[in-house]
Amino acid sequence: MRTEYCGQLNASHVGQEVTLCGWVNRRRDLGGLIFIDMRDRDGVVQVFFDPDRQDAFTLASELRNEFCIQLTGVVRARPESQVNKEMSTGEVEVFATALTIINRSEPLPLDANQTNTEEARLKYRYLDLRRPEMATRLKTRARITSFVRRFMDGHDFLDIETPMLTKATPEGARDYLVPSRVHKGKFYALPQSPQLFKQLLMMSGFDRYYQIVKCFRDEDLRADRQPEFTQIDVETSFMTAPQVREVMEKLVRELWQEILSVDLGDFPIMTFAEAMRRFGSDKPDLRNPLELVDVADLLKTIDFKVFSGPANDAKGRVAVIRVPGGAQLSRKQIDEYGKFIEIYGAKGLAYIKVNEKEKGLEGISSPVAKFLNETLLAALLERAAAEDGDILFFGADSAKVVTDALGALRLKLGRDLGLTDLASWKPLWVIDFPMFEDDGEGGLAAMHHPFTSPRDMTPEALESNPVSAIANAYDMVLNGYEVGGGSVRIHSSVMQQTVFRILGINEQEQREKFGFLLDALKYGTPPHAGLAFGLDRLVMLLTGTENIRDVIAFPKTTAAACLMTEAPSYANPASLAELSIAVVAKAKPAQDAE
């Protein structure tokens, strides 16, 4: 039905007859001439209708925005004074000789010239996707997936599919369950990731696997999370962690070069402990120059328990952030930052404004000045590398509260004060995560997942002191986002059972949930390691949006609902009966007697 795309026309087409298909983006009736901007997925081109072509001109008078049309015409060069440098097709226009209205459009529920609510955009997603901005994002996504496939194929990885209907296994979030009609009372689970299957593929001898795959997690959502999301899933055999990181870093570097013509350079490597100490985050945004500096050793004897208490507590922390030029902040602004960190459990925000460093105590403004002496102040200013005009913000509490609160404050200060270099790209690898973390109930949980191998530990040493174990795991971080994460996997059945025991999974539960894996580990399992990228998050970064829903064709809301199809919906009672499922209303709490 078409010979060219609207957005591909240029000066090389001048004089050619073309047939275009698309939508009316805008219409202008100038009396003697009718102009439209015609749009398809590749862009917009100007078309004009002349009364000399009476049939086409008469029909064009009926056109309105979003009419779906086909037209034939001759490409002409625009006069020099009318060239539109804002359009890729701005050097040309099409003189229409024939027009067909394929389908008319009612007035749209979305306004192309105003900001629509996200609810409206999601309800009428098929119309929202017509916007050039949205079309460009999805086209970029297609380029990204195409590039990834070419790269992986070129590095001898095999694209192998894994099941969507599988067995529920603990991987850190709730599973989406699918009832079985054949096996009454039993359920499949949608995979949170292909983790166990890709490990089994390594045991099967396919030493380089990848898959661009849907994953499902029933968890609370944020702007960069969805209940169904897409991973670039990778697994290798006979490769060390540094070797896996080398290949995956090469993929991302070449991807950024392909899409943005940006050289990310070599990725620095930072341990988890260093990232948390310096930046208060295991995914630090290195575009922000602010850092956390520990000062507990300087404050152990200060006559101010808010500082001295945590300073003398093995589980406490006292740290400071130096904000260049921050002495100009008003008391109101400082109070607002104090309220902000309360979200993270902090009880207050002490500060020192450095007005004139050389004057010592007389050169500062601070609510804690009365607890300081000249020697202590000098030591604090030196440790923080403070200069005139700076402000120091203090955090003093448990190590977790201080790290979380100051880590979040660091990011907010960077944004609010323009300190974060938004035009730059700052990647890094974070390695050496703790193997386990407190599960909040007196036990331990796997920080990564229960199939991650510890670094340089025997099963016996691990079981005797699990909290000291370091995981052979790694995350790729870019501009404060974790874009990929992976680890060396456990390839010993003894080690895997040891980890399960540490996590409180008894032998019976191990057999019920992971019997197939434990059996497979007995038959010559090779050493293996892998990584998974969040494709949606990569596309989000590469297209310059901060909302993951902008790069998914038909996303869910933060309540895991589709406003367009109105999913989830109630099931047909007959279907539920066939599955032996009954929906039981939750009992209302009894009302207190008056």
Side-chain angles (χ1 to χ4, degrees), residues 213-228:
V213 61
K214 280 287 187 185
C215 303
F216 306 87
R217 293 182 184 175
D218 185 6
E219 59 186 349
D220 295 333
L221 306 181
R222 298 196 303 259
D224 61 342
R225 284 189 179 174
Q226 282 281 293
E228 53 177 320

Side-chain angles (χ1 to χ4, degrees), residues 162 192-199 209 211 213 215 231 233:
T162 53
Q192 295 185 33
S193 77
Q195 182 60 47
L196 294 182
F197 287 106
K198 66 180 181 179
Q199 288 189 240
Y209 143 95
Q211 187 181 186
V213 61
C215 303
Q231 281 187 182
D233 204 47

Side-chain angles (χ1 to χ4, degrees), residues 435-436 444-446 449-454 459 462-463 466 469 490 492-505 510:
M435 184 84 173
F436 304 103
L444 295 175
H449 57 55
F451 318 108
T452 296
S453 178
L462 178 66
E463 194 150 25
I490 295 169
S492 155
S493 60
V494 175
M495 178 64 83
Q496 187 63 76
Q497 288 176 297
T498 300
V499 170
F500 285 155
R501 282 196 300 274
I502 292 169
L503 295 173
I505 305 173
Q510 289 178 33

Side-chain angles (χ1 to χ4, degrees), residues 23-25 27 60-68 105:
W23 289 266
V24 177
N25 195 60
R27 174 182 176 276
S61 65
E62 301 178 24
L63 294 178
R64 297 294 181 269
N65 286 1
E66 298 307 318
F67 275 31
C68 183
S105 174

Side-chain angles (χ1 to χ4, degrees), residues 424-472:
S424 64
W425 294 99
K426 294 292 184 180
L428 78 153
W429 288 103
V430 178
I431 65 170
D432 291 355
F433 289 80
M435 184 84 173
F436 304 103
E437 58 185 346
D438 191 334
D439 67 358
E441 299 177 358
L444 295 175
M447 181 168 261
H448 195 66
H449 57 55
F451 318 108
T452 296
S453 178
R455 287 193 61 171
D456 307 321
M457 288 188 87
T458 64
E460 295 76 19
L462 178 66
E463 194 150 25
S464 66
N465 191 10
V467 295
S468 68
I470 299 297
N472 202 348

Side-chain angles (χ1 to χ4, degrees), residues 300-530:
K300 289 187 174 184
T301 60
I302 189 173
D303 188 21
F304 183 46
K305 289 186 178 180
V306 172
F307 283 178
S308 61
N312 288 285
D313 186 343
K315 295 183 178 180
R317 185 180 188 188
V318 185
V320 64
I321 295 178
R322 177 182 74 88
V323 183
Q328 296 180 4
L329 290 172
S330 68
R331 182 58 186 267
K332 180 182 177 183
Q333 289 173 300
I334 294 171
D335 288 344
E336 288 174 354
Y337 288 127
K339 287 186 179 298
F340 170 75
I341 63 171
E342 289 177 4
I343 300 170
Y344 302 90
K347 301 177 184 67
L349 185 62
Y351 65 89
I352 295 175
K353 286 187 175 183
V354 185
N355 302 318
E356 293 184 68
K357 182 178 176 181
E358 294 300 321
K359 289 187 177 181
L361 288 171
E362 292 185 4
I364 68 168
S365 301
S366 172
V368 299
K370 61 184 177 182
F371 300 108
L372 304 174
N373 57 48
E374 295 288 358
T375 302
L376 176 53
L377 175 63
L380 286 170
L381 297 184
E382 181 180 1
R383 177 74 60 85
E387 300 292 344
D388 290 353
D390 294 348
I391 191 171
L392 306 183
F393 285 123
F394 289 81
D397 209 304
S398 69
K400 176 173 174 50
V401 167
V402 171
T403 301
D404 290 349
L406 291 190
L409 179 62
R410 169 183 175 269
L411 294 177
K412 184 169 177 58
L413 289 165
R415 290 191 299 267
D416 291 353
L417 306 180
L419 300 172
T420 301
D421 182 3
L422 299 177
S424 64
W425 294 99
K426 294 292 184 180
L428 78 153
W429 288 103
V430 178
I431 65 170
D432 291 355
F433 289 80
M435 184 84 173
F436 304 103
E437 58 185 346
D438 191 334
D439 67 358
E441 299 177 358
L444 295 175
M447 181 168 261
H448 195 66
H449 57 55
F451 318 108
T452 296
S453 178
R455 287 193 61 171
D456 307 321
M457 288 188 87
T458 64
E460 295 76 19
L462 178 66
E463 194 150 25
S464 66
N465 191 10
V467 295
S468 68
I470 299 297
N472 202 348
Y474 34 83
D475 281 355
M476 182 186 290
V477 177
L478 184 55
N479 289 5
Y481 289 95
E482 177 198 331
V483 295
S487 67
V488 173
R489 322 304 188 187
I490 295 169
H491 65 279
S492 155
S493 60
V494 175
M495 178 64 83
Q496 187 63 76
Q497 288 176 297
T498 300
V499 170
F500 285 155
R501 282 196 300 274
I502 292 169
L503 295 173
I505 305 173
N506 61 40
E507 288 190 19
Q508 180 180 346
E509 193 177 1
Q510 289 178 33
R511 291 306 309 175
E512 288 175 354
K513 293 183 175 178
F514 305 105
F516 64 96
L517 174 67
L518 294 173
D519 288 342
L521 286 169
K522 298 175 183 176
Y523 301 111
T525 298
H528 54 286

